[in-house]
């Protein structure tokens, strides 16, 4: 099964996880705009067997589908190249990456905050109350060591602009997670 997450409201992890849960033998190929290591890793953990970039050549879809038939994990050319470059350059995501502490829902909200959505718009899009969004915002700030909503906005916007490699840490983050978020 091929799952194209381009234009999906959110990062698609919830949809992917639900598909894998509802039909455990499903072999899923994810096609996504996201190529960063942590997101690709989350796709695989959520149930994808293969993942390709929307920027890959169309032939990559065929290769990915062939790999599904043999139950073999597969990363498309662009994703594999990026992962290898990150590995070779010592930029693989460290286990202490502060963003890794966020739940999938918190990451989704973090990303949407970075895209410029306020609490009311987030609440409408996710069909929850503004109070629920505020609770998530507080949890995210606490986990990332951020002091204010403005700091959260700047940090998440930087992540959306350049996810997640090259993200500069917040000056208020605890020492162990001050390192740039690396892939």
């Amino acid at each position: 099964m091929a799952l194209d997450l381009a234009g999906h409201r959110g990062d698609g992890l919830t949809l992917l996880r639900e598909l894998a849960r509802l039909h455990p033998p499903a072999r899923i190929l994810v096609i996504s705009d996201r190529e960063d290591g942590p997101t690709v890793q989350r796709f695989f953990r959520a149930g994808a067997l293969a993942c390709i970039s929307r920027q890959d050549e169309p032939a990559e879809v065929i290769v990915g589908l062939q790999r599904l038939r043999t139950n073999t994990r597969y990363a498309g050319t662009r994703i594999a190249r990026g992962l290898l470059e990150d590995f070779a350059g010592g930029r693989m995501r460290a286990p202490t990456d502060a963003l890794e502490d966020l739940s999938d829902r918190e990451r989704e909200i973090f990303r949407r905050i970075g895209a410029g959505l306020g609490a009311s718009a987030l609440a409408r899009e996710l069909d929850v109350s503004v109070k629920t969004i505020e609770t998530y915002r507080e949890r995210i700030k606490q986990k990332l060591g951020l002091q204010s909503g403005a700091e959260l906005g700047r940090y998440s916007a930087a992540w959306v602009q350049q996810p997640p490699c090259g993200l500069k840490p917040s000056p208020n983050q605890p020492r162990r997670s001050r390192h740039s978020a690396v892939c």
Side-chain angles (χ1 to χ4, degrees):
M1 163 187 325
L3 180 61
D4 187 345
L5 297 179
H8 184 270
R9 292 179 58 184
D11 56 16
L13 284 168
T14 303
L15 175 61
L16 176 58
R17 192 173 294 106
E18 282 299 301
L19 282 172
R21 183 184 67 79
L22 292 172
H23 191 61
R27 296 176 186 163
I28 303 169
L29 164 67
V30 169
I31 303 168
S32 176
D33 291 329
R34 299 297 301 261
E35 299 173 6
D36 60 278
T39 300
V40 170
Q41 182 180 28
R42 284 176 177 264
F43 288 149
F44 283 116
R45 283 196 320 230
L49 188 59
C51 187
I52 64 171
S53 167
R54 288 194 54 76
Q55 304 304 313
D56 277 328
E57 294 296 320
E60 291 282 347
V61 175
I62 295 168
V63 174
L65 291 172
Q66 289 170 338
R67 294 293 178 93
L68 291 183
R69 289 180 53 213
T70 62
N71 208 27
T72 307
R73 289 206 184 276
Y74 178 73
T77 304
R78 286 179 59 98
I79 290 173
R81 185 181 310 126
L83 292 173
L84 285 172
E85 287 297 320
D86 289 341
F87 180 74
R91 294 181 305 270
M92 293 303 288
R93 182 188 45 78
T96 58
D97 176 11
L99 291 181
E100 186 62 25
D101 294 339
L102 300 182
S103 70
D104 290 339
R105 184 67 153 188
E106 289 167 342
R107 276 180 78 101
E108 179 179 6
I109 290 169
F110 178 80
R111 184 183 57 77
R112 289 175 184 224
I113 290 169
L117 292 179
S120 297
L122 272 166
R124 276 191 308 277
E125 276 197 18
L126 300 175
D127 198 27
V128 296
S129 72
V130 172
K131 178 68 175 157
T132 299
I133 296 299
E134 291 302 328
T135 299
Y136 275 114
R137 287 174 57 93
E138 288 304 313
R139 281 191 208 145
I140 293 167
K141 286 189 317 190
Q142 181 181 20
K143 287 180 178 182
L144 298 180
L146 304 172
Q147 302 301 311
S148 68
E151 191 175 10
L152 173 59
R154 287 190 302 273
Y155 191 67
S156 60
W159 186 84
V160 167
Q161 292 295 318
Q162 193 173 2
C165 294
L167 178 64
K168 300 297 182 222
S170 162
N172 297 323
Q173 282 184 271
R175 185 69 181 143
R176 75 182 214 19
S177 61
R178 272 186 74 95
H179 305 288
S180 296
V182 290
C183 298

